[in-house]
Amino acid sequence: MAPIKKGIIERLNSGEVVIGDGGFVVALEKRGYVKAGPWTPEATVTHPEAVRQLHREFLRAGSNVMQTFSFYSSDDKLENRGQSLQLTGVQINEAACDLAREVASEGDALVAGGVSQTPSYMSCKSEADVKAIFKKQLEVFMKKNVDFLIVEYFEHVEEAVWAVEVLKTSGKPVAATLCMGPEGDPHGVSPGECAVRLVKAGAQIVGVNCHFDPLTCVKTVKLMKEGVAKAGLKAHYMVQPLAYHTPDCNCKGFIDIPEFPFAMEPRTLTRWDMHKYAREAYDAGIRFIGGCCGFEPYHIRAVAEELAAERGMLPPASDKHGMWGAGLEMHTKPWVRARARRDYWENLLPASGRPKCPSMSTPDCWGMSRGHAELMQHKEATSDQAMKRVMELQGKVGKSKQ
């Protein structure tokens, strides 16, 4: 009999640091298994070996949670804007659960089933219609007996609350993260108020994921903590940010900067940046610390290494990584051996190697949110006429910036 693993709430109640995994859609897009645009996870069925391998790399890097690769795997998203996969959300999500469980069983990791925001909500469908989508996803997670559930990547707190209310009926622990910064959700609901609504809906863990860089996300979670405390409520906190620097983002986050999604690499955080992130998150009282888009296994390993003393262990992947570059003592070149020290890497200001590029960008500011005509979703493919309309709008927005 395999030993019974401690659950997510039991771990957090004891003060244990729980390390999440990274951003599967971006990592697998770069590897050729996800299409940018729809960002859907059919690779769980079409290329399970790729998903399994990425799970294994995050586990080896120190992850305690294997999230099912079920991001955007609702039927309305799988059929959105001309996508025709010949696969259902049930098929994709069942495969995602099996892969996550297989790898989680290889270590001390839990399986988290995740749901994300829907085209139906963006298109102003009713609460009942949107909740029906989450209920269908939940049926799979219950059948596969995931350890806990995550409401992840929600821009609007209203939809996130609906998702929490559905998932809470399972009796399993529920975590909820919004993709927002310190300004709150698109309707101006503050981070503190968002957190309060999520906790009252039944979320036991709240926080943020995606859209912003680590330090911005930590700042946002601090505001959530303040709101929950002021309301006399209690919760655990989590953060799973981007692995990109986003000091120039507006309230929409990285999707509004012109480099998204195919030119983000110059903004990628180094492993040493991740040490700072992990420490900032820990010092803020956040105990579920992971990553989202842009996070690769070596980033998660850096988080685990920074918090090795608190966790009482190093991850297996540290066998191939000397702390603070210590492995460079074995390098053949003396000037590289001289870099085998913490103060060198902590104080380095990395160059981009792009002398003609600016350090920051000007975000697109189209001023659209839920209910806007251009955000209404549909099954039909985007037409040439619709693309012409988008280009015209882009030209108008560009002129308004000048």
Side-chain angles (χ1 to χ4, degrees), residues 19-28 54-55 57-59 61 63 65-69 152 209 240-241 243 289-297 299-300:
I19 296 182
D21 54 13
F24 270 59
V25 287
V26 170
L28 289 170
L54 191 54
H55 276 308
E57 290 179 18
F58 279 117
L59 181 71
S63 294
V65 175
M66 299 289 104
Q67 284 189 230
T68 58
F69 186 34
E152 179 189 59
N209 81 293
Q240 302 209 99
I289 304 170
C292 198
C293 295
F295 265 75
E296 291 283 346
H299 289 126
I300 291 297

Side-chain angles (χ1 to χ4, degrees), residues 368-388:
M368 297 177 183
S369 189
R370 180 186 185 236
H372 192 285
E374 298 297 335
L375 291 181
M376 302 301 280
Q377 304 300 306
H378 46 74
K379 291 185 178 181
E380 297 76 27
T382 304
S383 66
D384 291 342
Q385 184 178 2
M387 280 305 300
K388 182 179 179 181

Side-chain angles (χ1 to χ4, degrees), residues 59 69 98 106 136 179 181 205 230 268 311 369:
L59 181 71
F69 186 34
D98 290 342
E106 297 171 6
K136 190 172 183 179
C179 46
I205 310 164
K230 188 176 180 179
T268 302
R311 300 177 74 229
S369 189

Side-chain angles (χ1 to χ4, degrees), residues 37 118 201:
T118 64

Side-chain angles (χ1 to χ4, degrees), residues 24-36 40 42-43 46-47 49-50:
F24 270 59
V25 287
V26 170
L28 289 170
E29 190 279 330
K30 291 179 178 179
R31 290 159 168 79
Y33 300 104
V34 166
K35 180 182 284 188
T40 48
E42 60 273 11
T46 62
H47 295 90
E49 73 287 350

Side-chain angles (χ1 to χ4, degrees), residues 231-292:
L233 301 171
K234 291 184 178 180
H236 293 291
Y237 298 92
M238 66 183 292
V239 61
Q240 302 209 99
L242 298 174
Y244 304 116
H245 293 284
T246 61
D248 42 355
C249 278
N250 58 22
C251 65
K252 294 284 189 180
F254 80 139
I255 59 172
D256 264 24
I257 59 175
E259 297 95 331
F260 175 81
F262 297 129
M264 295 295 297
E265 287 82 356
R267 293 173 175 263
T268 302
L269 274 73
T270 68
R271 64 194 68 195
W272 317 117
D273 293 325
M274 292 300 173
H275 278 262
K276 183 177 180 180
Y277 153 56
R279 184 54 53 191
E280 290 276 345
Y282 185 86
D283 289 347
I286 302 168
R287 292 297 178 267
F288 189 148
I289 304 170
C292 198

Side-chain angles (χ1 to χ4, degrees), residues 118-172:
T118 64
S120 292
Y121 179 83
M122 190 181 296
S123 300
C124 300
K125 296 289 181 66
S126 70
E127 177 179 349
D129 287 342
V130 174
K131 282 187 170 181
I133 293 169
F134 299 137
K135 288 176 183 176
K136 190 172 183 179
Q137 292 174 285
L138 177 59
E139 288 172 1
V140 172
F141 297 139
M142 294 301 291
K143 175 183 177 182
K144 295 295 183 176
N145 195 28
V146 300
D147 297 306
F148 70 104
L149 299 156
I150 299 182
V151 171
E152 179 189 59
Y153 195 81
F154 282 74
E155 293 174 295
H156 300 266
V157 68
E158 179 181 56
E159 186 184 17
V161 165
W162 294 352
V164 171
E165 289 173 347
V166 170
L167 299 193
K168 192 63 181 175
T169 64
S170 68
K172 294 180 180 292

Side-chain angles (χ1 to χ4, degrees), residues 386-398:
M387 280 305 300
K388 182 179 179 181
R389 168 67 177 162
V390 168
M391 299 305 291
E392 290 172 352
L393 286 170
Q394 184 183 52
K396 291 179 180 178
V397 173

